[in-house]
Amino acid sequence: MPRNSKEARYLEQKEGHTHWTKAKTTELDQLHDYNAFVDLGKSTPTPPGFTHIKCRFVYDMKHDGRYKARLVAGGHMTNLDKEDAYSGVVSLRTLRLALLIGELNKLNIMVGDIGNAYLESYTREKVVFTAGPEFGPLAGHTLQIVKALYGLRSSGARFHEVLAQTLKSEGFFPCKADPDLWMRPAGNCYEYICVYVDDLLVLMKDPQSFFKILKEKHGYKLKGIGEPEYHLGGDFGRDQDGTLYWGAKTYISKMLQAYQRQFDNTLPKKMSSPLDKDDHPELDESTLLTGTKIRLYQSMIGALQWAISLGRLDIAVAVMNMSRFRVAPREKHLERLKRIYGYLRKRPDGKLWFRTGIPPNENLVEVPEHDWFHSIYGDGSDIENGTDEYPPALGFMVRITTFVDANLGHCKVTGKSITGIVHLVNQTLIQFFCKLQNTVECTTYCSEFVAAKQAAEQIRDLQETLKLMGVPIEKSAWMLGDNSSVITSSTLPSSMLKKQHHSLSYHYVRCNVAHRLIKFCKIASKWNVADILTKCLPHNESWHLIQPLLFWSGDTKDCP
């Protein structure tokens, strides 16, 4: 990729084409079509109250092979403003929830991209620049920027305001749990729009009509309208049963191509697991990396973290272990990253499956039932539901199932344990969490209680999010763990806590159990999915947990 116009001209001469020049011409034509500038005349001095900045072209190639040149303003040369300057993006968790609810309520899914999105709005910043030779007859003229040009500090916020006004005019309102999820009632359910700056993912009964309204009524220039195939770096499609999936195969392919460029055109050796079972990278004493190798390590960690964001929880604990050394990595740490790449090379096909069935938890675990009415927590009957702040619940009901686990003394240097949490809504993986605990715990009981409290907090957050999305949910979420002592302490009203430094975790979990917001149940360690987020397990010990979640097409009851 050229880093400036000089390099673009050099590459065109070297490779015998004019693609970058054509891309720049296309960009300038679009800017003139949007009346993005006001000509103040040739060599006109900067007007009072305005800031003179520089503009430059930024070059890129899209995933479909299109050459792209973008004129970007030097917003870094303007003064900071106290007002909000950004356009928000929908969280990936909210996006997964919306896709699941859309599938559950038989909504249709379409995506679309608003072309030259920022130019739909006007800037409030007072900035000018001197046009370069690419502007032809305007070269040397002082141009005032009047549209929200890419690169200006507040352009994102200006576009967000325009799009918000458009969506409100069509009956949508932002979800209180995530303001970049827009929703409106549509009979027996809600319709949703997930906004990622200028990328829209629409879940409606008739999304085609909505995009037609955006184009014909509101004048937006739209691109890439259709069913999702590649969106936000992920692959979308349906299996033979029609189940929607979201995978990372294309992204992993790009990661491996980058790996080849970085390591002398070689690919990593295929591996059956991300890291060895008994490996402790914190004990490594090999030579520290320097210079470009540190930046390479950091770049590889960043690429792996986005693969995790796209659903690859099977590498989460390995990447968590290795990301701790980003500031001062060692040579063998880099070799471990190559192993994780080798695992992804062997298994690039992992996908998130949007399965809408409700898991039969009642048949799998025994639910402790006790009378909490006379306990210090009561039974929750006197708690206000706060229904006024929630939109009316519409559509089919969903069930939350959470797996939680901890691994005592995971880090051999600090002694800290690790927490692993997996959240399913119905049979769909929605969220997962893998992190070293903030405190050092001396017993498995203590580390498991810390993990249970974190899981309970996340469950309550997930419950509130679904309610604010207008989704009917079961009052009690299912929390499944494999530590009998913690479950007994959490579910038996008469249990006493002997380790008072964990009293907050103890009371928080018990309060949620007493109020029937959480059912805390025992599951055998062999079937605790959170195990893959607390331990670097070999293939033969982890595959029965990973396969149904990421690698099984069709009904999971048929998965061996």
Side-chain angles (χ1 to χ4, degrees):
M1 291 297 111
R3 292 171 293 180
N4 50 52
S5 296
K6 181 179 179 180
E7 287 190 5
R9 290 192 296 270
Y10 169 77
L11 289 174
E12 284 184 330
Q13 293 173 359
K14 179 181 177 182
E15 298 168 5
H17 63 73
T18 58
H19 297 317
W20 297 120
T21 299
K22 291 178 180 177
K24 287 196 294 184
T25 301
T26 300
E27 171 73 358
L28 290 174
D29 288 344
Q30 291 174 341
L31 291 171
H32 291 311
D33 288 343
Y34 277 95
N35 297 314
F37 313 115
V38 171
D39 183 10
L40 302 182
K42 189 170 184 178
S43 302
T44 303
T46 303
F50 282 73
T51 302
H52 190 281
I53 65 173
K54 293 181 179 180
C55 293
R56 59 172 292 179
F57 279 96
V58 175
Y59 301 90
D60 191 20
M61 181 175 287
K62 296 296 186 179
H63 68 275
D64 56 5
R66 287 181 292 124
Y67 287 75
K68 182 70 176 178
R70 174 84 72 187
L71 186 69
V72 177
H76 63 288
M77 302 175 69
T78 61
N79 294 326
L80 289 171
D81 201 324
K82 294 182 180 180
E83 70 167 328
D84 191 3
Y86 300 100
S87 176
V89 296
V90 67
S91 73
L92 293 183
R93 186 188 76 163
T94 301
L95 188 58
R96 293 185 195 118
L97 285 172
L99 286 165
L100 171 63
I101 303 308
E103 287 291 286
L104 183 63
N105 292 307
K106 308 300 182 185
L107 298 177
N108 295 308
I109 307 171
M110 291 188 72
V111 295
D113 179 14
I114 299 176
N116 297 293
Y118 285 7
L119 300 181
E120 297 287 348
S121 55
Y122 288 88
T123 185
R124 299 175 193 166
E125 300 183 50
K126 295 182 177 181
V127 287
V128 297
F129 73 102
T130 302
E134 296 89 354
F135 283 78
L138 290 177
H141 286 231
T142 301
L143 302 183
Q144 178 188 347
I145 302 174
V146 294
K147 289 295 183 76
L149 194 66
Y150 288 87
L152 294 179
R153 291 185 185 273
S154 62
S155 292
R158 299 290 80 78
F159 168 69
H160 190 271
E161 292 167 356
V162 170
L163 182 61
Q165 188 60 40
T166 298
L167 297 180
K168 287 178 181 178
S169 70
E170 297 303 325
F172 286 89
F173 59 92
C175 176
K176 291 182 179 179
D178 190 330
D180 291 291
L181 176 71
W182 292 76
M183 50 192 288
R184 72 179 179 189
N188 59 349
C189 65
Y190 287 93
E191 295 180 326
Y192 300 100
I193 299 175
C194 300
V195 179
Y196 203 97
V197 187
D198 56 356
D199 289 315
L200 307 181
L201 187 143
V202 176
L203 301 117
M204 294 183 185
K205 295 179 179 179
D206 186 8
Q208 188 71 49
S209 295
F210 171 76
F211 280 114
K212 185 177 181 181
I213 289 172
L214 285 185
K215 184 177 181 179
E216 297 181 358
K217 179 179 176 181
H218 298 282
Y220 289 103
K221 296 181 180 179
L222 303 175
K223 302 181 294 183
I225 298 175
E227 294 186 3
E229 295 179 358
Y230 185 79
H231 188 66
L232 300 182
D235 304 302
F236 285 82
R238 294 186 183 273
D239 67 6
Q240 66 272 19
D241 295 332
T243 302
L244 179 70
Y245 65 76
W246 183 3
K249 188 173 183 179
T250 299
Y251 179 74
I252 291 171
S253 175
K254 292 180 179 180
M255 287 175 57
L256 294 174
Q257 291 172 13
Y259 184 100
Q260 280 185 289
R261 293 193 297 270
Q262 293 158 346
F263 294 103
D264 300 325
N265 205 33
T266 60
L267 284 170
K269 181 181 177 182
K270 292 182 179 181
M271 305 300 294
S272 60
S273 62
L275 288 180
D276 282 332
K277 180 179 180 180
D278 299 318
D279 189 15
H280 290 282
E282 66 271 20
L283 301 178
D284 190 291
E285 295 182 352
S286 59
T287 305
L288 288 167
L289 298 178
T290 58
T292 57
K293 285 193 173 182
I294 293 179
R295 292 191 290 274
L296 171 61
Y297 187 93
Q298 294 169 342
S299 174
M300 293 174 69
I301 285 288
L304 289 166
Q305 287 176 330
W306 186 251
I308 294 172
S309 297
L310 293 176
R312 292 304 300 263
L313 84 163
D314 49 337
I315 64 169
V317 66
V319 176
M320 187 280 297
N321 281 336
M322 303 314 304
S323 63
R324 298 168 58 201
F325 311 106
R326 282 175 295 184
V327 174
R330 298 179 181 272
E331 287 184 354
K332 290 187 178 178
H333 290 158
L334 183 58
E335 293 303 312
R336 290 178 173 90
L337 286 194
K338 292 180 181 180
R339 178 188 174 108
I340 301 174
Y341 270 67
Y343 172 77
L344 290 177
R345 183 189 174 202
K346 182 173 183 177
R347 300 200 179 280
D349 296 322
K351 304 176 180 71
L352 291 178
W353 305 87
F354 293 90
R355 298 186 172 104
T356 58
I358 294 181
N361 295 340
E362 298 90 341
N363 302 332
L364 304 176
V365 295
E366 182 179 345
V367 182
E369 292 289 351
H370 300 287
D371 183 4
W372 291 83
F373 184 78
H374 299 289
S375 72
I376 60 173
Y377 314 103
D379 61 357
S381 58
D382 58 339
I383 296 179
E384 293 292 334
N385 292 324
T387 52
D388 291 343
E389 67 179 279
Y390 303 124
L394 300 175
F396 292 101
M397 182 173 289
V398 299
R399 166 177 288 181
I400 298 172
T401 305
T402 296
F403 296 85
V404 59
D405 189 41
N407 185 25
L408 180 68
H410 180 83
C411 177
K412 300 303 180 185
V413 173
T414 64
K416 290 184 177 180
S417 307
I418 188 174
T419 294
I421 303 169
V422 176
H423 300 283
L424 304 179
V425 177
N426 286 6
Q427 293 176 330
T428 299
L429 175 64
I430 293 296
Q431 181 182 359
F432 49 91
F433 177 85
C434 172
K435 189 177 182 295
L436 284 179
Q437 296 178 358
N438 293 329
T439 56
V440 178
E441 304 301 337
C442 300
T443 64
T444 299
Y445 176 87
C446 292
S447 66
E448 293 276 2
F449 232 126
V450 169
K453 187 266 295 182
Q454 288 179 297
E457 289 177 334
Q458 293 177 15
I459 287 172
R460 296 292 295 118
D461 176 63
L462 189 54
Q463 287 173 325
E464 290 299 302
T465 297
L466 286 165
K467 288 179 182 179
L468 291 170
M469 289 176 64
V471 179
I473 65 172
E474 286 187 348
K475 179 180 179 180
S476 300
W478 297 72
M479 187 162 78
L480 310 180
D482 55 22
N483 189 284
S484 298
S485 297
V486 170
I487 294 172
T488 299
S489 295
S490 300
T491 58
L492 189 64
S494 60
S495 73
M496 300 293 291
L497 180 67
K498 297 179 180 179
K499 302 180 184 298
Q500 292 302 319
H501 59 290
H502 282 299
S503 59
L504 292 179
S505 297
Y506 169 82
H507 288 297
Y508 184 82
V509 176
R510 283 167 60 83
C511 184
N512 281 285
V513 171
H515 294 165
R516 305 295 192 268
L517 296 173
I518 292 176
K519 297 176 181 177
F520 197 2
C521 308
K522 175 77 164 60
I523 191 172
S525 296
K526 179 182 178 181
W527 302 111
N528 189 351
V529 178
D531 259 15
I532 59 181
L533 296 177
T534 59
K535 307 171 186 69
C536 294
L537 298 173
H539 172 78
N540 64 318
E541 295 181 24
S542 63
W543 184 240
H544 70 285
L545 299 174
I546 296 172
Q547 187 183 18
L549 281 176
L550 298 180
F551 295 97
W552 187 258
S553 176
D555 196 329
T556 52
K557 69 180 175 58
D558 300 324
C559 182

